[in-house]
Amino acid sequence: MAQREYQTFEAFWPFYLREHSKPVTRAFHYVGSAIALGFLVLFGATMQPLYLLGMPLSGYFFAWLSHALVEHNKPATFTYPLWSLIADYRMFFLFVAGRLEPELRRAGVRV
């Protein structure tokens, strides 16, 4: 595992946003996160465990694809797995609520 530079989530959060500086990268993440939440709803409705497998597959597929094709950086998941998951959904829900832009600005991401 790579060495961890950030010791707190609050220090990690601006880094995470900078690693997702391009709107297309964030859009890929939103699609993956939404599909993963859809699988969670399907699991809750059917109790079919296969839907739980769809959650990480969809979420990581879209996220990693965006890092490879758009952002051209290594996903933070490899160094900060739990914080990356938390940050991904924080970014998703802030976007849905229309409150992400100030966070991006504070992190130094041009909006």
Side-chain angles (χ1 to χ4, degrees):
M1 183 185 280
Q3 185 175 349
R4 293 171 56 109
E5 179 178 343
Y6 301 100
Q7 302 305 313
T8 67
F9 179 80
E10 288 310 313
F12 169 77
W13 173 239
F15 162 77
Y16 181 87
L17 292 176
R18 288 188 298 273
E19 292 293 293
H20 300 81
S21 64
K22 297 179 180 171
V24 173
T25 302
R26 294 191 301 273
F28 270 77
H29 280 67
Y30 303 149
V31 169
S33 296
I35 292 171
L37 290 173
F39 277 124
L40 181 61
V41 169
L42 286 171
F43 170 72
T46 66
M47 299 310 279
Q48 293 294 320
L50 195 56
Y51 289 126
L52 292 177
L53 181 61
M55 291 177 66
L57 291 178
S58 62
Y60 288 126
F61 172 77
F62 285 96
W64 292 353
L65 189 65
S66 71
H67 286 283
L69 300 179
V70 179
E71 204 74 48
H72 304 290
N73 58 19
K74 185 178 98 175
T77 303
F78 298 122
T79 309
Y80 302 92
L82 181 58
W83 287 355
S84 290
L85 180 64
I86 293 167
D88 195 51
Y89 279 96
R90 182 178 183 182
M91 182 174 72
F92 175 77
F93 288 115
L94 284 170
F95 169 74
V96 169
R99 296 177 38 219
L100 182 60
E101 207 169 284
E103 295 287 325
L104 291 168
R105 281 197 188 100
R106 272 193 291 280
V109 176
R110 218 167 63 168
V111 183

